[in-house]
């Protein structure tokens, strides 16, 4: 696009999931707003697949997110060495291709692609070519940014969208197949069937570090496909990701690091602490902002920061579970924690993914013989000690 404005109401730095959904909802509720999305790639949404569970969203949220959905299934499966289970909960996926299509249709000339950002302030975006764009408010949604105030592990993956020369035989997703060698932490393979011959296959690790060994993961996908009897005819695309899994932190100091810059998505610590998935939180945030009667720098900053802090305070139990997974369980034994979890009632599993655990759920998760040594589990109780230990490593 050609820049013709002197100043915008809102500039979105980054055209990823959170910023894109906020812009979408704002144009529905406040169509008069003059907005601009700046994205470094040639299309919005990058190269991603976002998935979510039926109970992650309210019926109203399902309704407005529907144009973005490309695939849905009535249930999904998990597979471990000792058992296989069907979870009777619908599962949905959004592709970055559909995401780009829907947003550009609704936002038309308010999207600037192939544009790199050099600097962001509360009311200004400086582009790499030197241009300085002014706005009443700026929202920075350019992905997760490391912070001294967060102690994290990682979920990392490489995914191949493949076309098989023979029918693959899958009707529903397997969101965890842990019948694979346990390397670099907890490892599983995730598969989404798109049609009779097309699949997304992701080799995924819950790891202590963010190093992504592409050769190892690519080989893992090839080996897995071969073991399933899938003959890959072509690879349509390859996606990769490194998601933060939070174990501890100080959310107030985390926001103080932002220097008054308003953020969204992963950059605002708005994601499920245990899965790293952010779609439900992006949808909820977009709803909150869309309902604001007055859209300005102050109202946006206060709404996002308040939601981020409230969500952090509600998910302390998740961070405790993450410390159990990353610090109490030996890397090669982490699969036992997940194997135990997926034997719990499916309604509890739904609430876990949605971030709506009840007190009864939390008790149910902790009763019985723990899949980790008691001594190591007790050392995981303190969030402050975990954060202090992380800072000492840096």
């Amino acid at each position: 696009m050609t820049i013709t404005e002197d100043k915008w109401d809102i500039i979105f730095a980054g055209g990823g999931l959170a910023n894109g959904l906020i812009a979408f909802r704002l144009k529905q509720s406040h169509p008069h707003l003059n907005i601009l999305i700046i994205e470094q790639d040639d299309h919005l949404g990058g190269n991603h697949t976002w998935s979510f569970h039926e109970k992650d969203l309210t019926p109203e949220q399902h309704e407005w997110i529907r144009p973005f959905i490309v695939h849905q299934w009535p249930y999904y499966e998990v597979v471990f060495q000792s058992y296989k289970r069907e979870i009777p909960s619908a599962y949905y996926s959004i592709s970055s291709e559909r995401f780009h299509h829907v947003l550009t249709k609704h936002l038309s000339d308010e999207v600037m692609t192939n544009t790199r950002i050099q600097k962001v302030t509360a009311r200004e975006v400086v582009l790499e070519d030197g241009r300085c764009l002014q706005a009443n408010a700026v929202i920075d949604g350019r992905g997760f940014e490391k912070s001294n105030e967060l102690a994290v592990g990682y979920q990392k993956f490489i995914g191949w969208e493949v076309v098989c020369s023979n029918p693959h035989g899958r009707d529903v997703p397997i969101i965890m197949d842990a019948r694979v060698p346990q390397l670099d932490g907890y490892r599983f393979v995730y598969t989404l069937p798109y049609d009779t011959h097309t699949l997304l296959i992701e080799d995924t690790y819950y790891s202590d570090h963010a190093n992504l060994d592409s050769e190892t993961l690519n080989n893992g996908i090839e080996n897995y496909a071969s073991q399933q009897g899938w003959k890959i005819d072509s690879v349509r695309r390859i996606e990769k990701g490194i998601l933060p899994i939070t174990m501890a932190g100080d959310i107030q100091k985390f926001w103080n690091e932002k220097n008054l810059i308003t953020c969204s998505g992963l950059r605002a610590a708005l994601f499920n602490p245990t899965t790293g998935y952010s779609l439900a939180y992006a949808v909820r945030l977009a709803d909150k902002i869309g309902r604001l009667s007055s859209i300005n720098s102050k109202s946006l900053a206060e709404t996002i920061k308040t939601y981020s802090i409230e969500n952090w305070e509600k998910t302390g139990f998740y961070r405790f579970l993450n410390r159990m997974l990353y610090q109490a369980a030996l890397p090669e034994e982490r699969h036992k924690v997940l194997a135990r979890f997926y034997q719990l009632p499916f309604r509890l599993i739904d609430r876990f993914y949605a971030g709506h655990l009840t007190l009864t759920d939390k008790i149910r998760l902790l009763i019985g013989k723990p899949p980790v040594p008691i001594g190591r589990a007790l050392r995981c109780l303190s969030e402050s000690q975990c954060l202090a230990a992380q800072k000492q490593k840096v």
Side-chain angles (χ1 to χ4, degrees):
M1 68 171 289
T2 301
I3 295 177
T4 58
E5 303 288 341
D6 294 321
K7 190 172 184 178
W8 284 264
D9 292 311
I10 307 173
I11 293 179
F12 293 91
L17 180 68
N19 271 0
L21 294 183
I22 293 170
F24 181 77
R25 288 300 272 168
L26 278 177
K27 293 304 288 187
Q28 291 178 326
S29 59
H30 298 78
H32 63 280
L33 285 176
N34 181 22
I35 70 172
L36 175 65
I37 299 179
I38 304 174
E39 168 57 40
Q40 67 176 0
D41 294 327
D42 60 4
H43 59 281
L44 301 176
N47 178 25
H48 296 291
T49 303
W50 299 283
S51 297
F52 62 100
H53 302 79
E54 180 179 12
K55 298 301 181 181
D56 290 355
L57 306 180
T58 66
E60 294 76 18
Q61 290 166 344
H62 273 280
E63 186 62 32
W64 74 256
I65 201 73
R66 188 174 304 279
F68 294 94
I69 296 172
V70 288
H71 298 285
Q72 66 181 81
W73 302 268
Y75 65 95
Y76 62 90
E77 296 178 352
V78 293
V79 187
F80 293 87
Q81 291 290 350
S82 58
Y83 72 93
K84 172 182 176 180
R85 186 181 181 189
E86 295 179 357
I87 308 293
S89 177
Y91 197 66
Y92 304 82
S93 283
I94 293 172
S95 69
S96 52
E97 182 179 12
R98 175 68 67 85
F99 183 78
H100 174 83
H101 173 75
V102 172
L103 282 180
T104 52
K105 177 182 176 181
H106 284 265
L107 302 176
S108 61
D109 61 349
E110 294 172 305
V111 175
M112 180 188 295
T113 55
N114 294 307
T115 305
R116 291 190 171 273
I117 294 172
Q118 183 182 83
K119 181 182 178 182
V120 169
T121 69
R123 296 177 183 270
E124 184 178 84
V125 176
V126 180
L127 304 182
E128 203 170 64
D129 63 12
R131 288 177 291 175
C132 182
L133 309 183
Q134 306 288 326
N136 294 329
V138 173
I139 300 180
D140 190 351
R142 292 175 294 163
F144 181 69
E145 183 179 40
K146 284 188 176 181
S147 167
N148 291 328
E149 301 305 331
L150 297 182
V152 302
Y154 299 93
Q155 184 197 151
K156 56 191 183 183
F157 61 87
I158 286 182
W160 289 9
E161 185 177 320
V162 304
V163 178
C164 301
S165 57
N166 58 322
H168 51 66
R170 293 296 313 164
D171 295 319
V172 297
I174 300 179
I175 70 167
M176 279 189 184
D177 187 344
R179 299 170 301 174
V180 291
Q182 293 300 298
L183 310 170
D184 191 14
Y186 170 53
R187 179 188 174 215
F188 63 92
V189 176
Y190 171 96
T191 55
L192 299 179
Y194 293 155
D195 58 41
T196 57
H197 287 70
T198 310
L199 284 163
L200 175 66
I201 311 170
E202 288 187 352
D203 195 8
T204 307
Y205 298 74
Y206 272 73
S207 174
D208 297 317
H209 58 84
N211 300 332
L212 196 63
D213 185 343
S214 297
E215 182 178 356
T216 297
L217 273 68
N218 286 332
N219 289 338
I221 293 172
E222 286 189 301
N223 292 337
Y224 184 83
S226 177
Q227 291 166 6
Q228 306 307 309
W230 301 333
K231 298 179 181 178
I232 296 177
D233 185 57
S234 62
V235 179
R236 284 184 173 175
R237 65 183 185 88
I238 296 176
E239 64 177 90
K240 60 181 66 177
I242 303 173
L243 303 177
I245 306 298
T246 52
M247 293 183 288
D250 186 320
I251 193 64
Q252 293 288 351
K253 290 182 179 179
F254 167 83
W255 275 101
N256 290 342
E257 287 183 332
K258 301 299 180 185
N259 294 321
L260 303 180
I261 296 174
T262 301
C263 302
S264 69
L266 297 181
R267 214 173 187 89
L270 286 171
F271 52 88
N272 186 300
T274 302
T275 67
Y277 289 1
S278 59
L279 186 137
Y281 300 87
V283 169
R284 295 165 193 166
L285 178 61
D287 264 354
K288 287 179 179 292
I289 291 176
R291 289 195 295 266
L292 292 174
S293 57
S294 177
I295 305 296
N296 53 59
S297 181
K298 182 180 179 181
S299 66
L300 290 170
E302 289 180 348
T303 298
I304 296 175
K305 182 178 178 180
T306 298
Y307 177 45
S308 172
I309 293 172
E310 288 176 349
N311 182 67
W312 182 272
E313 292 173 346
K314 286 170 54 179
T315 54
F317 183 76
Y318 286 78
R319 295 192 295 280
F320 165 66
L321 295 180
N322 294 344
R323 294 194 295 277
M324 293 274 285
L325 181 65
Y326 278 87
Q327 297 182 333
L330 297 173
E332 64 273 13
E333 295 181 350
R334 289 175 185 166
H335 64 97
K336 296 179 182 179
V337 178
L338 279 300
R340 180 178 182 271
F341 169 76
Y342 276 105
Q343 295 181 66
L344 295 170
F346 77 90
R347 296 295 187 194
L348 185 156
I349 295 172
D350 279 346
R351 291 191 291 271
F352 180 89
Y353 277 113
H356 299 320
L357 286 177
T358 66
L359 177 59
T360 302
D361 292 335
K362 295 175 183 178
I363 294 171
R364 181 68 182 84
L365 280 161
L366 295 177
I367 63 174
K369 183 180 179 180
V372 298
I374 293 294
R376 290 209 299 267
L378 292 174
R379 290 197 293 270
C380 294
L381 291 175
S382 173
E383 183 165 352
S384 60
Q385 288 180 6
C386 176
L387 181 59
Q390 179 89 353
K391 290 183 175 181
Q392 286 179 355
K393 292 180 182 178
V394 172

